[in-house]
Every structure is written in structure tokens, then in C-alpha cells.
Amino acid sequence: TGVQTCALPISAALELPHRIRINAVSPNVLTEALPDFAPYFPGFGSVSGAEAARAYQRSIEGIQTGRVFKVGY
């Protein structure tokens, strides 16, 4: 899914009408979810929900388009 996640907002941003933006946020596993999901993410670092939320906020409220905001990589 990494390639699709990176390519979709870039490709779509080129096709969208002016003033319509598209971005993606790709966080690592959330720290708050580790008790339930840690076995499925061996060797991965975690990121806090607050840090992921800031990336979503930047994606929505910022001026960028066609970006992938990676969090915790």
C-alpha cells in the first residue's frame, strides 16, 4: 500500500480543478493502540494520536496539495 498511498494524492492533485486539494496522512501504529495491535506491528515505532492529529490538521488546514504526510517514520 505504500506506493498507492504515495501516488494517489500526487496523481489526483494534477487532475482536480483549481482550489480543490487532496492530501494523505500515513501514520505509523498509534501508541494508544499498541496494547491491542503491537503483535501485528513488530519492529515498528509508534506515534501518539496527538501527533497524528496534527498531521491531519496540517493536511486539511494547510495550503499544500498532492502531499503525503508521513508520521512516525
Side-chain angles (χ1 to χ4, degrees):
T1 60
V3 172
Q4 294 88 348
T5 302
C6 292
L8 176 66
I10 296 167
S11 299
L14 297 172
E15 301 291 330
L16 290 173
H18 184 64
R19 300 182 69 167
I20 297 178
R21 301 178 313 105
I22 184 169
N23 293 305
V25 178
S26 179
N28 250 351
V29 64
L30 298 178
T31 304
E32 295 85 350
L34 280 179
D36 295 324
F37 292 100
Y40 302 103
F41 293 92
F44 283 79
S46 66
V47 61
S48 72
E51 189 176 352
R54 283 192 297 275
Y56 280 102
Q57 182 178 15
R58 182 175 175 197
S59 171
I60 294 166
E61 296 177 359
I63 63 170
Q64 298 89 354
T65 190
R67 291 274 317 268
V68 177
F69 295 91
K70 294 183 179 182
V71 186
Y73 288 88

